[in-house]
Amino acid sequence: MRGALWGIFIADALSMPVHWYYSVTDLKRDFGEITDYQAPKKRHPSSIMSLSNTGGHGRGGQSGKIIGDVINHGKHEFWGVPNMHYHQGMAAGENTLNAVCARIVMRGIAANGGKYDPTLFLNNYVSFMTTPGSHNDTYAESFHRDFFKNWAAGVPPERCALGTEGHNTAQIGGFGEPLRPLLEAEAKRLRFSPAELAGKLWDDTNIVHSVFGSACYIESSWPAVLYLAWKYSDSFEKAVLSNTNVGGENCHRGAALGALMGAAVGESAIPPRFISGLAASEEIRKEIDAFCAAFNARYINPSSCNSSSTCLVAPGSGPLYGVTGSPDVGFSNYNTFANTSALDRTIMSADSFLAGVFPAIAVQDDATNGSYVPTGEQVVPVYSMADTEDWKIRGYTKCPAYEDRLQQWLASEEFAAKAAETQELRNRVQALAPQLNVSLANWWNVYDAFNVWKTYGVGEAMPPVDAATFAEINQLAMWLETSKMRPGLTSNLLGGGLLGDLMQRMAAAEAAVSAGRQCV
């Protein structure tokens, strides 16, 4: 863990002077081959900071003063100057703003006994960003500017990042096993082979720029991270320096690579000059010490984590939690994870998963042979993927045979009768939300729009509806989805038998909870 944390700040600071250099010729001319920390030049040949909006997200003019007055105090004057370096004025070994924000997260977790608290983070983030002199970076990316545009307008912090900018801000933002097999498995999921690419004898610049892409987007940055980590799996130094010298979005790509490599090789295998050369080396060391101590107390040390039921379990140790009706099936937070597509769906699925499978209150239950149901504090990995890759949760969208049956059902007399029966409700909802497609075939999306806004406060703002109307919206959505998944349509498609088994287990779990038990 210590290696991973050091790796974030080292790789970011190494890349800072050549951050967003998309021409390697320019990079070599200005800096040569980077082997250690350097300060940035004032002029940046690829900089488009002068096109960025200082009053909010995206591109625009410099009349707005979110930059200068609200955040990044004293830096507004640099934004309108053509070819001004994004990190002008920073010293060798300093970290960019996003890496500094990672330190805010670390400090908050350490101060909160090893537990991440989103409200605490938001308060710390706002305080840090709005305090003059809290950092030395000139540039703040679009999502920072958008957040504080909303905040300055009086929007509560928890709602400031709900997405008014409309720009893709997805950022490339521990191991006990050999690194290469893990990297190869992930690369296979992304449909490329690091070994085959390495066998072509292309240099790293060609691989990153021409095969993957060197810009900010995760779909290009993440494969590049995997490739560099695979190629230099035995050398933290070679991996992070190669990342720096190929240019592009090397700071944030580097932070992910540095964390990966640092976790793989450990703190002791990181060259000492990289640690001592960080401008805030001593402060970062103290923060890493505090973070690791808090993490150890909360999740590792039995004398402290047992009392809060937050101990991480290793394979073959710790309690296993039973599945209703299947006494021989058990799971723990070690072999359990949430996996779904789309970030918002992932977050909501994970929230439901943790609330249901790992509820918030530890309860003794004889049905689990005296073991307790977890507390909700257990660490469970959560993975997101592109919808096109999601064959588990959304496999029904990729089965032509099922799609044919579904289209036949949507054209059936049964469906037409239901559409006529519910026309009055759909007319009422259309009047409330004219922008929605209220056709019966699209009704789940109608329900989803109202539900996520009502429950989570995210997505497009929906008008308020009374409880009776919302219940009608919900009931029709449930009818639609359960009808689409009934055996007559799915038969042996879409894991038909598995769906039935899953429904039985869910019903059994619901009955257990209704009877006053929390067995899952």
Side-chain angles (χ1 to χ4, degrees), residues 247-264:
E249 172 52 302
N250 48 10
C251 277
H252 306 128
R253 187 180 66 227
L257 176 65
L260 188 63
M261 292 302 301

Side-chain angles (χ1 to χ4, degrees), residues 49-235:
M49 185 166 65
S50 61
L51 303 179
S52 297
N53 178 12
T54 57
H57 64 265
R59 297 189 181 185
Q62 281 74 50
S63 59
K65 291 295 183 73
I66 297 300
I67 296 294
D69 289 355
V70 180
I71 62 174
N72 292 49
H73 304 84
K75 304 295 186 179
H76 181 273
E77 63 182 281
F78 301 107
W79 280 59
V81 181
N83 293 115
M84 180 63 68
H85 199 294
Y86 298 95
H87 310 301
Q88 68 80 35
M90 292 177 65
E94 278 198 279
N95 282 118
T96 66
L97 176 57
N98 286 354
V100 174
C101 286
R103 293 176 59 191
I104 298 173
V105 177
M106 284 172 51
R107 292 195 293 265
I109 291 175
N112 197 40
K115 181 181 180 182
Y116 174 73
D117 183 324
T119 301
L120 176 63
F121 167 70
L122 282 174
N123 291 339
N124 291 343
Y125 171 63
V126 170
S127 175
F128 175 84
M129 293 290 286
T130 57
T131 298
S134 59
H135 67 90
N136 195 31
D137 206 346
T138 294
Y139 191 66
E141 289 177 79
S142 195
F143 53 83
H144 291 297
R145 304 191 316 261
D146 197 52
F147 182 101
F148 283 100
K149 176 185 177 182
N150 293 333
W151 181 82
V155 177
E158 63 272 16
R159 296 188 60 79
C160 285
L162 291 184
T164 59
E165 67 164 311
H167 176 66
N168 181 357
T169 54
Q171 295 288 318
I172 185 70
F175 307 106
E177 304 176 43
L179 181 59
R180 274 191 167 179
L182 299 176
L183 298 172
E184 288 164 355
E186 174 63 7
K188 183 178 181 180
R189 188 183 70 83
L190 299 178
R191 297 189 173 91
F192 80 94
S193 167
E196 289 182 9
L197 287 177
K200 295 180 182 296
L201 303 180
W202 296 340
D203 64 25
D204 295 341
T205 298
N206 284 330
I207 295 288
V208 171
H209 285 262
S210 302
V211 177
F212 300 125
S214 58
C216 310
Y217 307 108
I218 289 177
E219 57 264 29
S220 55
S221 292
W222 180 233
V225 167
L226 298 176
Y227 174 76
L228 293 173
W230 185 92
K231 182 175 180 180
Y232 302 108
S233 60
D234 61 346
S235 174

Side-chain angles (χ1 to χ4, degrees), residues 7-8 10-12 14-15 34 228 232 235-246 250 254-255 257-259 261-262 270-271 274:
I8 293 170
I10 290 169
D12 173 80
L14 283 169
S15 297
I34 291 182
L228 293 173
Y232 302 108
S235 174
F236 176 92
E237 179 175 13
K238 290 178 181 178
V240 297
L241 288 179
S242 177
N243 170 77
T244 291
N245 284 292
V246 300
N250 48 10
L257 176 65
M261 292 302 301
I270 296 175
F274 285 164

